[in-house]
Amino acid sequence: MKVQAIIDTWVGAYRRESSCILQLILMTGVAVVSLGGCSFPASKTLDGDRNDPLSQVETQSTNNRSPAVTTPVITSSAGENPHFVVAVVQKVGDGVVRIDASRIVQSRGVPRDPFLRRFGNSQQRVERGSGSGFIINSSGKILTNSHVVDGADSVTVTLKDGRTFDGKVLGEDPVTDVAVIKIEANNLPVLPLGNSDTLNPGEAVIAIGNPLGLNNTVTSGILSAIGRSSSDIGASDKRVDYIQTDAAINPGNSGGPLLNSRGEVIGMNTAIIRGAQGLGFAIPINTVERISQELIAKGRVDHPYLGIQMVTLTPEIKASINRDPRNGLNLRADQGVLLVDIVPRSPASVGGLRSGDLIQSINNQPVTKIEEVQNLVQNSRIGIPIAIQVERNGQLIVIEVSPAPLPARRQG
């Protein structure tokens, strides 16, 4: 069956056309999504701090910085104090922290020093990087991005008043890019959490963080859009519907708060798009709060996993598949989600799904886009079968698949 080859060819052409338009700092591909993370790139995903959050300092010292984008002055609403940003910063700014992380990396190769060659080819180097975070508990619990602390051997937290503490990672979830850190301190300022389910585009927002090593930086803008899917921004291995903002976000802002005009956290700043201006993305705080509660309770988050690679069916893909007699497919439906590949021994494979199946509905809910499949699977329960209706060889059949826990990410 040539479904994979046909899809790869179509997606490759699509990516070439769109690569100048949409490039996430780490990721490109926007057309094909792997649900369940059957494979992960060696570099960290969805990284607002270049390819590896722990090498931010080195990256900054070797690259030219783009000129800052001037953000127009805004007000939260008619009749309110035009200096509401000042009031918000004075109210909650002390609860935003800087996070410095480092890890020891083993590298293979022949040492330049003849003395070291006698002791083998293994060398060690220290990678360092920094990000932001915010305090959610007066006794020292802090939220940040998973990619800020991923693989770190040591974590240091610096408060706005200059005090520093050793941080302990209580848990991290790469799938949503959320992590929880604990420091030994009391009576800390706490940021209030808002409700990201009630947001509307056009609302005033404020970002506070430590971009490019410039601590306690404040920027403002508006909420540009809500519900941006992971595939919309080229981060197909994530399971998040993002908030988009034009508030200036740069490397080092990752993990910091996005606030509303009342000083409530509505999102966690996490990503930017390379070469773009005014395109920043934050994880909705309701998602952050749900994930962090699981991390605090058990140190991990179990995500439902099927083990499928899929693509939203378009007229171009349908025509390409139906034109090629080698693949043995004749798609009749005009909409649906096409299964490109099935991970061996995965729940999808065990349940009987095949490459070339066209998903029409899940638990009687119609689906036409990969994001809809992602959301339905994410909201399912591990071990509880879900009914997947697919078109196969011109016939509609229902296949039951029991999601399993998402396999642990392979470290690069």
Side-chain angles (χ1 to χ4, degrees), residues 232-252:
D232 282 342
I233 71 169
S236 58
D237 68 326
K238 301 301 176 189
R239 297 190 184 182
V240 175
D241 287 332
Y242 294 93
I243 298 168
Q244 180 182 328
T245 178
D246 68 351
I249 297 174
N250 291 283

Side-chain angles (χ1 to χ4, degrees), residues 282-293:
I283 307 167
I285 194 59
N286 290 13
T287 299
V288 174
E289 188 175 15
R290 174 175 56 83
I291 296 298
S292 64
Q293 287 174 352

Side-chain angles (χ1 to χ4, degrees), residues 163-228:
R163 287 182 293 164
T164 61
F165 299 86
D166 291 332
K168 176 184 178 181
V169 179
L170 297 182
E172 57 172 305
D173 180 44
V175 177
T176 56
D177 204 7
V178 174
V180 181
I181 299 173
K182 177 70 168 64
I183 61 175
E184 295 301 323
N186 293 299
N187 301 317
L188 297 176
V190 176
L191 269 67
L193 305 184
N195 182 3
S196 54
D197 288 341
T198 61
L199 299 176
N200 292 296
E203 293 183 27
V205 293
I206 303 160
I208 305 178
N210 309 290
L212 303 172
L214 301 172
N215 294 347
N216 309 311
T217 295
V218 179
T219 60
S220 66
I222 63 168
L223 193 157
S224 304
I226 58 175
R228 293 296 192 205

Side-chain angles (χ1 to χ4, degrees), residues 32-232:
V32 175
V33 164
S34 295
L35 181 58
C38 57
S39 63
F40 290 84
S43 55
K44 305 304 179 289
T45 55
L46 195 61
D47 181 6
D49 301 335
R50 315 298 275 176
N51 287 350
D52 188 338
L54 294 177
S55 60
Q56 176 190 326
V57 173
E58 179 180 349
T59 300
Q60 291 173 9
S61 65
T62 58
N63 289 277
N64 293 328
R65 298 175 182 171
S66 300
V69 180
T70 302
T71 303
V73 176
I74 60 173
T75 59
S76 55
S77 64
E80 284 195 19
N81 179 3
H83 303 295
F84 76 97
V85 175
V86 176
V88 167
V89 174
Q90 291 175 343
K91 175 183 176 182
V92 303
D94 290 345
V96 182
V97 304
R98 172 175 173 141
I99 299 172
D100 292 284
S102 65
R103 66 177 176 182
I104 298 174
V105 177
Q106 298 286 346
S107 60
R108 303 293 297 179
V110 179
R112 295 181 179 179
D113 190 327
F115 176 78
L116 295 177
R117 290 181 194 150
R118 298 169 52 192
F119 298 95
N121 295 334
S122 179
Q123 301 180 75
Q124 291 184 342
R125 71 179 190 277
V126 178
E127 293 183 343
R128 296 182 175 87
S130 65
S132 305
F134 53 96
I135 303 169
I136 59 166
N137 178 279
S138 62
S139 59
K141 289 188 178 68
I142 296 168
L143 298 183
T144 188
N145 280 141
S146 171
H147 73 250
V148 171
V149 297
D150 188 29
D153 296 305
S154 67
V155 176
T156 301
V157 176
T158 304
L159 305 187
K160 187 179 180 181
D161 62 15
R163 287 182 293 164
T164 61
F165 299 86
D166 291 332
K168 176 184 178 181
V169 179
L170 297 182
E172 57 172 305
D173 180 44
V175 177
T176 56
D177 204 7
V178 174
V180 181
I181 299 173
K182 177 70 168 64
I183 61 175
E184 295 301 323
N186 293 299
N187 301 317
L188 297 176
V190 176
L191 269 67
L193 305 184
N195 182 3
S196 54
D197 288 341
T198 61
L199 299 176
N200 292 296
E203 293 183 27
V205 293
I206 303 160
I208 305 178
N210 309 290
L212 303 172
L214 301 172
N215 294 347
N216 309 311
T217 295
V218 179
T219 60
S220 66
I222 63 168
L223 193 157
S224 304
I226 58 175
R228 293 296 192 205
S229 69
S230 55
S231 57
D232 282 342

Side-chain angles (χ1 to χ4, degrees), residues 253-266:
N253 273 115
S254 289
L258 186 69
L259 304 142
N260 61 21
S261 60
R262 297 180 297 278
E264 299 168 334
V265 183
I266 58 170

